Amino acid sequence: MNADAQREAVYGAPPEMLAVRDDLTPMLSQYADLCEEHDDAVVLFQVGDFYEAFCGAAEAVARTCEVTLTQREDSTGTWPMAGIPIDNAAGYLERLLDAGYRVALAEQVEDAEEASGLVDRAVTQLITPGTVVDEELLDAGRATYLGAVARGGGDGENGSDDDAEGDTYGLAVVDVSTGECLVTGADRALALEELERLAPAELVVGPDCDLPDLSFDPMETPFEPGAFDADAARETLSAYAPRPDAVVESDAELRAVGAALAYAEYAQGDSKLAYVTRVTRFDPREFLQLDATAIRSLELFESRSARAGSTLFSVLDETACALGRRRLEAWLRRPLVDRDRIEARLDAVEALCDDALARADLRDHLSSVYDLERLVARVSRERADARDLRSLKTTLDRVPEIREALAGTDSDLLSDLRDSLDELEDVRDLVGDAVVSDPPQEITEGGVIADGFDAELDDVRGTAEAGREWVSNLEAREQERTGIDSLEVGYNQVHGYYIEVTNPNLDRVPDDYQRRQTLKNSERFYTPELKEREDEILRASDRADALEYDLFCEVRADVATESARVQAVADALADLDVLRTLADVAVANDYARPEFHAGDTDESAGIRIDAGRHPVVERAQDEFVPNPADLPRGSVALVTGPNMSGKSTYMRQVALVTLLAQVGSFVPAKSARLPVLDRVFTRIGASDDIAGGQSTFMREMSELTEILHNATGDSLVLLDEVGRGTSTADGLAIARAATEFLHDEVGATTLFATHYHDLTDAADDRAGVFNLHFTAARRDGEVTFLHSVADGPSSSSYGVEVAQLAGVPASVVERARTLVDEPETDADAERATDTGRDGVAAAANGEVDEAAEDGTLAAYVDGLENGHRESENPSRATATAETTEPNPELEAVAEALREADLVDTTPLEALNLLSDLKGRLE
């Protein structure tokens, strides 16, 4: 039985209980009923201070939560039982969620002291990965989405493939903890790409939706198909948007958002989520499209290394509050394509860069801001306590100060955000007047409502206080009346107020004292008057506690009516925190403001970056070599060079610079002039998908297919080692054909890193294809990577040297070097000569073999001198007389090359030397 089947097996009423259903005790019968009603989850059943599970569910809870499996015995049998403490449930619930379980909390919904017979219980909350609202189970810095996917066409039960919308998919996500609700629709490919980007923790899939394996692992939850019915979805959505058709644009979108909201309501107890005040539709094409492969390859949120801080998000995350942290993630997942909006963000970042005082003040104030979105959601769900309301007030108290900090900034966006910061004085005053400054956590035991807020409460409190004052003076009065100096007046919750007299003084006890309790060394008494005062105090205290609770609920409900206003403030604070963060990072790391082309479509409107840097790698290394990028629009740059020389880092840094710019951030470069891209594609790295039946090469080809089909002239494409998963001939052919297709048919700006040196010839055939390489130096067999990009192709990949650096046994390295240095076939010999020619090019490009011990350049010179020896191979018999007979001019050229001091020769001097020698040869 697989894991999913094991989990499903513990859902529902235990079969062994159903077998004796009529004989079960009332409590176990109630448990079985709730399990039947919620047969999609493990029911945790409140018994006193614990949540209990029975039978198979108990065994699962004990195993997963590592708690003791006990048993409960009654006349019907022995039932396995396991429980978790209610006061410390969060950690155990987290373990159950991580193990893939859905959990239904069945709580006591009436006071046990007031219940006649069995205490009534009901499931008050369904806890699943996409519907958690407990702060202890949430990541403060990340949105937790519940997603729903629906296919267009049909009635929700039997969607028709013949429908015009049959290939349209709707996608909706709801963050139940904050009230954020997003909906979109697109064709299947684009909708799935957006699903990958939003990565909901839980997914409800509509009828006839055929989803492939996803790059992330959401919990797929079955839900009643009727929720996807168009009429039912419209009715659900109308509670959140009076005109549903003004929010959604297709049947698929309507059904997706309706089902998502219906499931969220079901999880929260079948009631409307009043704090979902805005259902927002978006078009994926309004943002720079990043598929799951690109997000993973560029390491935006998850690193493939174990180094801390090795993602773009971690480098940028200088946010001061949870609101900003979630907004930063959202901006990185969805960079803009609207140039005006990008420039507005850049203007705001620049204004904050120029105003250090405003930045510091903003950080100060924002660091005191609580998570307004989740606070107001708890208020609306009636789960907020008094401390939550005080936290809300503390945050709103910062709003006037934040407005003041923004007063002098010069940016339209900052001005708009300042204007949108509603100070909510009415809400602040209400909470400030109603709730004490340091309230207790419990809201049912008094001490929550401030004096002076309610006249009736003040009167009741006055009565209780007067009674307590009378009691506090009773001890002195009774000591004086009885002459017993050791007499004490006390109180405990079991016996109430009492007068305590030690045994030696019992003979002096007045006749009106009535015995209440006998102790070892004393007796406790009460008087009729004390009893009357006690009853008066207790009645007043109970009445005060009840009044306080009612008043608190009224205040909380009044605050809940202002959810939309509070959420608007939360929105503005989140944006401000991200803009301030981007400014802080820009100043601290010497980022520059990028410029964007004014809508040009010619080749000049390409990517031009001066001294670009990788924002993550430069933070992880003591030294980083900046590199330029000059990529005309629609060009293909073939990047060659040794392994570990920086090719992949270079390609990623170009992509990250463009992505950051479209987020609205300054970029790690001296300057950058960029186009607005529509998509970034990556084909970097390789891995098998064994479970999915795909080899490394098949995965590679699948990713390449996606790029070739979907890239446009406004896209940036990064390709790394395409074709390496098959034979050299096939791989080179695929790489060459892909290069030509991207250049001729697609027109996407492309960086293509390759070890296929023959591929560099494509630059000779197409004007928009050119070569770049990463330089290296070799001395005494040791290779030094210079991490510097230069024009032209590389002469070598230095694979043997990299193997040596990696620690491959010396004998293997030496054998590999022998095989490389001694061609065994005619074709190898020809390639060796070609490599020699590449060595001349490498010298011209500044790629220097300092020792030339197995020297491509020296080999070529020797070949010039001794061409007649090479002509022993019949395949070379067509050589001209100039290369088969001694020639004074060739010998002079060879001698000049021998005497050249290549170690101290600059690239320009090398080019001049080669030009002179070429003229002499001609």
PDB file of all heavy atoms in Angstrom, residues 331-332 335-336 341-350 413 578-579 582-583 593-594 596 657-667:
ATOM      1  N   TRP A 331       6.830  39.916  -6.152  1.00  0.00           N
ATOM      2  CA  TRP A 331       7.439  40.713  -7.225  1.00  0.00           C
ATOM      3  C   TRP A 331       8.487  39.910  -7.974  1.00  0.00           C
ATOM      4  O   TRP A 331       8.618  40.045  -9.201  1.00  0.00           O
ATOM      5  CB  TRP A 331       8.060  41.973  -6.626  1.00  0.00           C
ATOM      6  CG  TRP A 331       7.057  43.051  -6.282  1.00  0.00           C
ATOM      7  CD1 TRP A 331       5.709  42.904  -6.173  1.00  0.00           C
ATOM      8  CD2 TRP A 331       7.332  44.422  -6.001  1.00  0.00           C
ATOM      9  NE1 TRP A 331       5.120  44.101  -5.830  1.00  0.00           N
ATOM     10  CE2 TRP A 331       6.101  45.049  -5.721  1.00  0.00           C
ATOM     11  CE3 TRP A 331       8.493  45.176  -5.940  1.00  0.00           C
ATOM     12  CZ2 TRP A 331       6.006  46.402  -5.399  1.00  0.00           C
ATOM     13  CZ3 TRP A 331       8.410  46.536  -5.607  1.00  0.00           C
ATOM     14  CH2 TRP A 331       7.176  47.140  -5.352  1.00  0.00           C
ATOM     15  N   LEU A 332       9.243  39.086  -7.279  1.00  0.00           N
ATOM     16  CA  LEU A 332      10.260  38.279  -7.958  1.00  0.00           C
ATOM     17  C   LEU A 332       9.626  37.193  -8.816  1.00  0.00           C
ATOM     18  O   LEU A 332      10.169  36.829  -9.866  1.00  0.00           O
ATOM     19  CB  LEU A 332      11.209  37.644  -6.943  1.00  0.00           C
ATOM     20  CG  LEU A 332      12.230  38.578  -6.298  1.00  0.00           C
ATOM     21  CD1 LEU A 332      13.038  37.835  -5.244  1.00  0.00           C
ATOM     22  CD2 LEU A 332      13.166  39.175  -7.345  1.00  0.00           C
ATOM     23  N   PRO A 335       7.763  39.598 -12.321  1.00  0.00           N
ATOM     24  CA  PRO A 335       8.293  40.900 -12.761  1.00  0.00           C
ATOM     25  C   PRO A 335       7.371  41.531 -13.812  1.00  0.00           C
ATOM     26  O   PRO A 335       6.596  40.837 -14.480  1.00  0.00           O
ATOM     27  CB  PRO A 335       9.662  40.539 -13.354  1.00  0.00           C
ATOM     28  CG  PRO A 335      10.009  39.212 -12.750  1.00  0.00           C
ATOM     29  CD  PRO A 335       8.705  38.506 -12.586  1.00  0.00           C
ATOM     30  N   LEU A 336       7.496  42.829 -13.959  1.00  0.00           N
ATOM     31  CA  LEU A 336       6.580  43.579 -14.830  1.00  0.00           C
ATOM     32  C   LEU A 336       7.029  43.565 -16.287  1.00  0.00           C
ATOM     33  O   LEU A 336       8.203  43.358 -16.591  1.00  0.00           O
ATOM     34  CB  LEU A 336       6.496  45.026 -14.340  1.00  0.00           C
ATOM     35  CG  LEU A 336       6.041  45.225 -12.889  1.00  0.00           C
ATOM     36  CD1 LEU A 336       6.166  46.696 -12.503  1.00  0.00           C
ATOM     37  CD2 LEU A 336       4.611  44.737 -12.700  1.00  0.00           C
ATOM     38  N   ARG A 341       5.109  51.192 -15.452  1.00  0.00           N
ATOM     39  CA  ARG A 341       5.089  50.703 -14.066  1.00  0.00           C
ATOM     40  C   ARG A 341       6.513  50.404 -13.575  1.00  0.00           C
ATOM     41  O   ARG A 341       6.834  50.663 -12.412  1.00  0.00           O
ATOM     42  CB  ARG A 341       4.212  49.454 -13.961  1.00  0.00           C
ATOM     43  CG  ARG A 341       2.728  49.701 -14.190  1.00  0.00           C
ATOM     44  CD  ARG A 341       1.939  48.420 -14.032  1.00  0.00           C
ATOM     45  NE  ARG A 341       1.999  47.914 -12.661  1.00  0.00           N
ATOM     46  CZ  ARG A 341       1.606  46.693 -12.302  1.00  0.00           C
ATOM     47  NH1 ARG A 341       1.164  45.845 -13.228  1.00  0.00           N
ATOM     48  NH2 ARG A 341       1.690  46.313 -11.033  1.00  0.00           N
ATOM     49  N   ILE A 342       7.338  49.857 -14.470  1.00  0.00           N
ATOM     50  CA  ILE A 342       8.733  49.586 -14.090  1.00  0.00           C
ATOM     51  C   ILE A 342       9.439  50.895 -13.729  1.00  0.00           C
ATOM     52  O   ILE A 342      10.113  51.002 -12.701  1.00  0.00           O
ATOM     53  CB  ILE A 342       9.482  48.873 -15.230  1.00  0.00           C
ATOM     54  CG1 ILE A 342       8.869  47.490 -15.497  1.00  0.00           C
ATOM     55  CG2 ILE A 342      10.965  48.713 -14.880  1.00  0.00           C
ATOM     56  CD1 ILE A 342       9.398  46.823 -16.759  1.00  0.00           C
ATOM     57  N   GLU A 343       9.285  51.889 -14.600  1.00  0.00           N
ATOM     58  CA  GLU A 343       9.955  53.170 -14.368  1.00  0.00           C
ATOM     59  C   GLU A 343       9.444  53.831 -13.085  1.00  0.00           C
ATOM     60  O   GLU A 343      10.215  54.482 -12.364  1.00  0.00           O
ATOM     61  CB  GLU A 343       9.746  54.102 -15.562  1.00  0.00           C
ATOM     62  CG  GLU A 343      10.397  53.634 -16.861  1.00  0.00           C
ATOM     63  CD  GLU A 343      11.912  53.741 -16.853  1.00  0.00           C
ATOM     64  OE1 GLU A 343      12.497  54.168 -15.828  1.00  0.00           O
ATOM     65  OE2 GLU A 343      12.529  53.410 -17.885  1.00  0.00           O
ATOM     66  N   ALA A 344       8.153  53.665 -12.782  1.00  0.00           N
ATOM     67  CA  ALA A 344       7.610  54.241 -11.540  1.00  0.00           C
ATOM     68  C   ALA A 344       8.294  53.615 -10.329  1.00  0.00           C
ATOM     69  O   ALA A 344       8.643  54.314  -9.361  1.00  0.00           O
ATOM     70  CB  ALA A 344       6.103  54.028 -11.486  1.00  0.00           C
ATOM     71  N   ARG A 345       8.486  52.304 -10.360  1.00  0.00           N
ATOM     72  CA  ARG A 345       9.196  51.646  -9.252  1.00  0.00           C
ATOM     73  C   ARG A 345      10.646  52.121  -9.187  1.00  0.00           C
ATOM     74  O   ARG A 345      11.172  52.391  -8.096  1.00  0.00           O
ATOM     75  CB  ARG A 345       9.148  50.130  -9.418  1.00  0.00           C
ATOM     76  CG  ARG A 345       7.801  49.496  -9.120  1.00  0.00           C
ATOM     77  CD  ARG A 345       7.880  47.971  -9.204  1.00  0.00           C
ATOM     78  NE  ARG A 345       6.588  47.336  -9.029  1.00  0.00           N
ATOM     79  CZ  ARG A 345       6.371  46.029  -9.134  1.00  0.00           C
ATOM     80  NH1 ARG A 345       7.397  45.217  -9.424  1.00  0.00           N
ATOM     81  NH2 ARG A 345       5.170  45.521  -8.952  1.00  0.00           N
ATOM     82  N   LEU A 346      11.286  52.223 -10.339  1.00  0.00           N
ATOM     83  CA  LEU A 346      12.675  52.662 -10.353  1.00  0.00           C
ATOM     84  C   LEU A 346      12.811  54.087  -9.827  1.00  0.00           C
ATOM     85  O   LEU A 346      13.772  54.412  -9.109  1.00  0.00           O
ATOM     86  CB  LEU A 346      13.253  52.552 -11.770  1.00  0.00           C
ATOM     87  CG  LEU A 346      13.495  51.139 -12.282  1.00  0.00           C
ATOM     88  CD1 LEU A 346      13.862  51.162 -13.770  1.00  0.00           C
ATOM     89  CD2 LEU A 346      14.604  50.455 -11.488  1.00  0.00           C
ATOM     90  N   ASP A 347      11.857  54.946 -10.187  1.00  0.00           N
ATOM     91  CA  ASP A 347      11.869  56.315  -9.655  1.00  0.00           C
ATOM     92  C   ASP A 347      11.786  56.297  -8.127  1.00  0.00           C
ATOM     93  O   ASP A 347      12.480  57.059  -7.436  1.00  0.00           O
ATOM     94  CB  ASP A 347      10.683  57.109 -10.215  1.00  0.00           C
ATOM     95  CG  ASP A 347      10.861  57.480 -11.682  1.00  0.00           C
ATOM     96  OD1 ASP A 347      12.000  57.389 -12.194  1.00  0.00           O
ATOM     97  OD2 ASP A 347       9.847  57.840 -12.323  1.00  0.00           O
ATOM     98  N   ALA A 348      10.924  55.434  -7.603  1.00  0.00           N
ATOM     99  CA  ALA A 348      10.765  55.356  -6.148  1.00  0.00           C
ATOM    100  C   ALA A 348      12.036  54.843  -5.485  1.00  0.00           C
ATOM    101  O   ALA A 348      12.472  55.373  -4.452  1.00  0.00           O
ATOM    102  CB  ALA A 348       9.584  54.446  -5.811  1.00  0.00           C
ATOM    103  N   VAL A 349      12.641  53.817  -6.069  1.00  0.00           N
ATOM    104  CA  VAL A 349      13.885  53.284  -5.514  1.00  0.00           C
ATOM    105  C   VAL A 349      14.974  54.337  -5.556  1.00  0.00           C
ATOM    106  O   VAL A 349      15.727  54.522  -4.586  1.00  0.00           O
ATOM    107  CB  VAL A 349      14.318  52.014  -6.271  1.00  0.00           C
ATOM    108  CG1 VAL A 349      15.704  51.554  -5.814  1.00  0.00           C
ATOM    109  CG2 VAL A 349      13.302  50.888  -6.065  1.00  0.00           C
ATOM    110  N   GLU A 350      15.060  55.066  -6.668  1.00  0.00           N
ATOM    111  CA  GLU A 350      16.085  56.105  -6.784  1.00  0.00           C
ATOM    112  C   GLU A 350      15.869  57.205  -5.749  1.00  0.00           C
ATOM    113  O   GLU A 350      16.824  57.687  -5.117  1.00  0.00           O
ATOM    114  CB  GLU A 350      16.069  56.705  -8.190  1.00  0.00           C
ATOM    115  CG  GLU A 350      17.157  57.737  -8.402  1.00  0.00           C
ATOM    116  CD  GLU A 350      17.290  58.179  -9.850  1.00  0.00           C
ATOM    117  OE1 GLU A 350      16.316  58.053 -10.612  1.00  0.00           O
ATOM    118  OE2 GLU A 350      18.382  58.654 -10.217  1.00  0.00           O
ATOM    119  N   LEU A 413       5.138  57.409  -7.350  1.00  0.00           N
ATOM    120  CA  LEU A 413       4.670  56.181  -6.710  1.00  0.00           C
ATOM    121  C   LEU A 413       4.693  56.320  -5.195  1.00  0.00           C
ATOM    122  O   LEU A 413       3.738  55.919  -4.503  1.00  0.00           O
ATOM    123  CB  LEU A 413       5.532  54.990  -7.147  1.00  0.00           C
ATOM    124  CG  LEU A 413       5.197  53.643  -6.509  1.00  0.00           C
ATOM    125  CD1 LEU A 413       3.738  53.268  -6.722  1.00  0.00           C
ATOM    126  CD2 LEU A 413       6.112  52.547  -7.067  1.00  0.00           C
ATOM    127  N   VAL A 578       9.191  46.853   0.337  1.00  0.00           N
ATOM    128  CA  VAL A 578       9.996  46.298  -0.758  1.00  0.00           C
ATOM    129  C   VAL A 578      10.798  47.399  -1.449  1.00  0.00           C
ATOM    130  O   VAL A 578      11.996  47.221  -1.737  1.00  0.00           O
ATOM    131  CB  VAL A 578       9.111  45.565  -1.775  1.00  0.00           C
ATOM    132  CG1 VAL A 578       9.968  45.044  -2.936  1.00  0.00           C
ATOM    133  CG2 VAL A 578       8.389  44.398  -1.122  1.00  0.00           C
ATOM    134  N   LEU A 579      10.184  48.529  -1.710  1.00  0.00           N
ATOM    135  CA  LEU A 579      10.905  49.623  -2.370  1.00  0.00           C
ATOM    136  C   LEU A 579      12.074  50.098  -1.505  1.00  0.00           C
ATOM    137  O   LEU A 579      13.173  50.346  -2.012  1.00  0.00           O
ATOM    138  CB  LEU A 579       9.945  50.777  -2.652  1.00  0.00           C
ATOM    139  CG  LEU A 579       8.854  50.488  -3.691  1.00  0.00           C
ATOM    140  CD1 LEU A 579       7.799  51.592  -3.692  1.00  0.00           C
ATOM    141  CD2 LEU A 579       9.456  50.334  -5.090  1.00  0.00           C
ATOM    142  N   LEU A 582      14.821  47.429  -1.723  1.00  0.00           N
ATOM    143  CA  LEU A 582      15.573  47.504  -2.983  1.00  0.00           C
ATOM    144  C   LEU A 582      16.548  48.677  -2.966  1.00  0.00           C
ATOM    145  O   LEU A 582      17.654  48.582  -3.508  1.00  0.00           O
ATOM    146  CB  LEU A 582      14.607  47.613  -4.170  1.00  0.00           C
ATOM    147  CG  LEU A 582      13.689  46.413  -4.398  1.00  0.00           C
ATOM    148  CD1 LEU A 582      12.753  46.663  -5.585  1.00  0.00           C
ATOM    149  CD2 LEU A 582      14.491  45.136  -4.617  1.00  0.00           C
ATOM    150  N   ALA A 583      16.140  49.774  -2.336  1.00  0.00           N
ATOM    151  CA  ALA A 583      17.044  50.926  -2.230  1.00  0.00           C
ATOM    152  C   ALA A 583      18.218  50.611  -1.310  1.00  0.00           C
ATOM    153  O   ALA A 583      19.373  50.935  -1.613  1.00  0.00           O
ATOM    154  CB  ALA A 583      16.266  52.142  -1.723  1.00  0.00           C
ATOM    155  N   ARG A 593      21.042  52.140 -11.666  1.00  0.00           N
ATOM    156  CA  ARG A 593      19.695  52.173 -12.245  1.00  0.00           C
ATOM    157  C   ARG A 593      19.764  51.756 -13.703  1.00  0.00           C
ATOM    158  O   ARG A 593      20.530  52.326 -14.485  1.00  0.00           O
ATOM    159  CB  ARG A 593      19.095  53.573 -12.122  1.00  0.00           C
ATOM    160  CG  ARG A 593      17.733  53.658 -12.825  1.00  0.00           C
ATOM    161  CD  ARG A 593      16.989  54.929 -12.557  1.00  0.00           C
ATOM    162  NE  ARG A 593      15.716  54.936 -13.273  1.00  0.00           N
ATOM    163  CZ  ARG A 593      14.679  55.708 -12.984  1.00  0.00           C
ATOM    164  NH1 ARG A 593      14.779  56.576 -11.980  1.00  0.00           N
ATOM    165  NH2 ARG A 593      13.562  55.638 -13.675  1.00  0.00           N
ATOM    166  N   PRO A 594      18.950  50.780 -14.110  1.00  0.00           N
ATOM    167  CA  PRO A 594      18.947  50.368 -15.522  1.00  0.00           C
ATOM    168  C   PRO A 594      18.154  51.345 -16.383  1.00  0.00           C
ATOM    169  O   PRO A 594      17.243  52.025 -15.894  1.00  0.00           O
ATOM    170  CB  PRO A 594      18.264  49.003 -15.479  1.00  0.00           C
ATOM    171  CG  PRO A 594      17.336  49.096 -14.302  1.00  0.00           C
ATOM    172  CD  PRO A 594      18.031  49.970 -13.297  1.00  0.00           C
ATOM    173  N   PHE A 596      15.894  51.630 -20.061  1.00  0.00           N
ATOM    174  CA  PHE A 596      15.152  50.784 -20.997  1.00  0.00           C
ATOM    175  C   PHE A 596      15.039  51.478 -22.345  1.00  0.00           C
ATOM    176  O   PHE A 596      14.899  52.703 -22.418  1.00  0.00           O
ATOM    177  CB  PHE A 596      13.754  50.471 -20.452  1.00  0.00           C
ATOM    178  CG  PHE A 596      13.763  49.471 -19.324  1.00  0.00           C
ATOM    179  CD1 PHE A 596      13.839  49.900 -18.011  1.00  0.00           C
ATOM    180  CD2 PHE A 596      13.737  48.112 -19.585  1.00  0.00           C
ATOM    181  CE1 PHE A 596      13.869  48.993 -16.970  1.00  0.00           C
ATOM    182  CE2 PHE A 596      13.771  47.191 -18.546  1.00  0.00           C
ATOM    183  CZ  PHE A 596      13.828  47.630 -17.243  1.00  0.00           C
ATOM    184  N   VAL A 657      20.124  40.226 -14.167  1.00  0.00           N
ATOM    185  CA  VAL A 657      20.126  41.679 -14.344  1.00  0.00           C
ATOM    186  C   VAL A 657      18.833  42.124 -15.023  1.00  0.00           C
ATOM    187  O   VAL A 657      18.188  43.092 -14.595  1.00  0.00           O
ATOM    188  CB  VAL A 657      21.364  42.128 -15.148  1.00  0.00           C
ATOM    189  CG1 VAL A 657      21.195  43.563 -15.638  1.00  0.00           C
ATOM    190  CG2 VAL A 657      22.622  42.020 -14.298  1.00  0.00           C
ATOM    191  N   THR A 658      18.429  41.416 -16.084  1.00  0.00           N
ATOM    192  CA  THR A 658      17.192  41.800 -16.781  1.00  0.00           C
ATOM    193  C   THR A 658      15.972  41.576 -15.893  1.00  0.00           C
ATOM    194  O   THR A 658      15.052  42.391 -15.863  1.00  0.00           O
ATOM    195  CB  THR A 658      17.037  41.003 -18.086  1.00  0.00           C
ATOM    196  OG1 THR A 658      16.974  39.605 -17.800  1.00  0.00           O
ATOM    197  CG2 THR A 658      18.204  41.259 -19.023  1.00  0.00           C
ATOM    198  N   LEU A 659      15.978  40.480 -15.134  1.00  0.00           N
ATOM    199  CA  LEU A 659      14.842  40.186 -14.257  1.00  0.00           C
ATOM    200  C   LEU A 659      14.730  41.242 -13.156  1.00  0.00           C
ATOM    201  O   LEU A 659      13.639  41.764 -12.892  1.00  0.00           O
ATOM    202  CB  LEU A 659      15.022  38.794 -13.658  1.00  0.00           C
ATOM    203  CG  LEU A 659      13.908  38.231 -12.768  1.00  0.00           C
ATOM    204  CD1 LEU A 659      13.866  36.713 -12.884  1.00  0.00           C
ATOM    205  CD2 LEU A 659      14.114  38.606 -11.301  1.00  0.00           C
ATOM    206  N   LEU A 660      15.850  41.564 -12.519  1.00  0.00           N
ATOM    207  CA  LEU A 660      15.825  42.574 -11.460  1.00  0.00           C
ATOM    208  C   LEU A 660      15.331  43.914 -12.000  1.00  0.00           C
ATOM    209  O   LEU A 660      14.562  44.618 -11.334  1.00  0.00           O
ATOM    210  CB  LEU A 660      17.218  42.737 -10.857  1.00  0.00           C
ATOM    211  CG  LEU A 660      17.665  41.678  -9.851  1.00  0.00           C
ATOM    212  CD1 LEU A 660      19.136  41.876  -9.496  1.00  0.00           C
ATOM    213  CD2 LEU A 660      16.810  41.743  -8.592  1.00  0.00           C
ATOM    214  N   ALA A 661      15.780  44.254 -13.189  1.00  0.00           N
ATOM    215  CA  ALA A 661      15.366  45.526 -13.774  1.00  0.00           C
ATOM    216  C   ALA A 661      13.850  45.570 -13.949  1.00  0.00           C
ATOM    217  O   ALA A 661      13.210  46.593 -13.690  1.00  0.00           O
ATOM    218  CB  ALA A 661      16.066  45.735 -15.116  1.00  0.00           C
ATOM    219  N   GLN A 662      13.250  44.454 -14.375  1.00  0.00           N
ATOM    220  CA  GLN A 662      11.810  44.442 -14.605  1.00  0.00           C
ATOM    221  C   GLN A 662      11.013  44.270 -13.314  1.00  0.00           C
ATOM    222  O   GLN A 662       9.814  44.520 -13.292  1.00  0.00           O
ATOM    223  CB  GLN A 662      11.449  43.378 -15.647  1.00  0.00           C
ATOM    224  CG  GLN A 662      11.919  43.796 -17.028  1.00  0.00           C
ATOM    225  CD  GLN A 662      11.514  42.882 -18.155  1.00  0.00           C
ATOM    226  OE1 GLN A 662      12.314  42.599 -19.037  1.00  0.00           O
ATOM    227  NE2 GLN A 662      10.289  42.420 -18.194  1.00  0.00           N
ATOM    228  N   VAL A 663      11.673  43.874 -12.242  1.00  0.00           N
ATOM    229  CA  VAL A 663      11.049  43.938 -10.921  1.00  0.00           C
ATOM    230  C   VAL A 663      10.913  45.394 -10.487  1.00  0.00           C
ATOM    231  O   VAL A 663      10.001  45.763  -9.752  1.00  0.00           O
ATOM    232  CB  VAL A 663      11.886  43.139  -9.898  1.00  0.00           C
ATOM    233  CG1 VAL A 663      11.506  43.486  -8.462  1.00  0.00           C
ATOM    234  CG2 VAL A 663      11.717  41.641 -10.126  1.00  0.00           C
ATOM    235  N   GLY A 664      11.832  46.232 -10.989  1.00  0.00           N
ATOM    236  CA  GLY A 664      11.877  47.630 -10.565  1.00  0.00           C
ATOM    237  C   GLY A 664      13.056  47.909  -9.672  1.00  0.00           C
ATOM    238  O   GLY A 664      13.099  48.913  -8.964  1.00  0.00           O
ATOM    239  N   SER A 665      14.048  47.018  -9.721  1.00  0.00           N
ATOM    240  CA  SER A 665      15.233  47.140  -8.873  1.00  0.00           C
ATOM    241  C   SER A 665      16.399  47.702  -9.657  1.00  0.00           C
ATOM    242  O   SER A 665      16.477  47.549 -10.881  1.00  0.00           O
ATOM    243  CB  SER A 665      15.597  45.750  -8.327  1.00  0.00           C
ATOM    244  OG  SER A 665      16.864  45.756  -7.704  1.00  0.00           O
ATOM    245  N   PHE A 666      17.308  48.346  -8.940  1.00  0.00           N
ATOM    246  CA  PHE A 666      18.603  48.640  -9.528  1.00  0.00           C
ATOM    247  C   PHE A 666      19.335  47.315  -9.740  1.00  0.00           C
ATOM    248  O   PHE A 666      18.948  46.280  -9.177  1.00  0.00           O
ATOM    249  CB  PHE A 666      19.403  49.560  -8.612  1.00  0.00           C
ATOM    250  CG  PHE A 666      18.977  51.016  -8.668  1.00  0.00           C
ATOM    251  CD1 PHE A 666      17.690  51.371  -9.057  1.00  0.00           C
ATOM    252  CD2 PHE A 666      19.859  52.029  -8.307  1.00  0.00           C
ATOM    253  CE1 PHE A 666      17.302  52.696  -9.104  1.00  0.00           C
ATOM    254  CE2 PHE A 666      19.476  53.364  -8.347  1.00  0.00           C
ATOM    255  CZ  PHE A 666      18.197  53.693  -8.750  1.00  0.00           C
ATOM    256  N   VAL A 667      20.405  47.340 -10.545  1.00  0.00           N
ATOM    257  CA  VAL A 667      21.029  46.087 -10.965  1.00  0.00           C
ATOM    258  C   VAL A 667      22.523  46.085 -10.659  1.00  0.00           C
ATOM    259  O   VAL A 667      23.161  47.145 -10.608  1.00  0.00           O
ATOM    260  CB  VAL A 667      20.800  45.838 -12.474  1.00  0.00           C
ATOM    261  CG1 VAL A 667      19.312  45.731 -12.774  1.00  0.00           C
ATOM    262  CG2 VAL A 667      21.437  46.942 -13.320  1.00  0.00           C
TER     263      VAL A 667
END
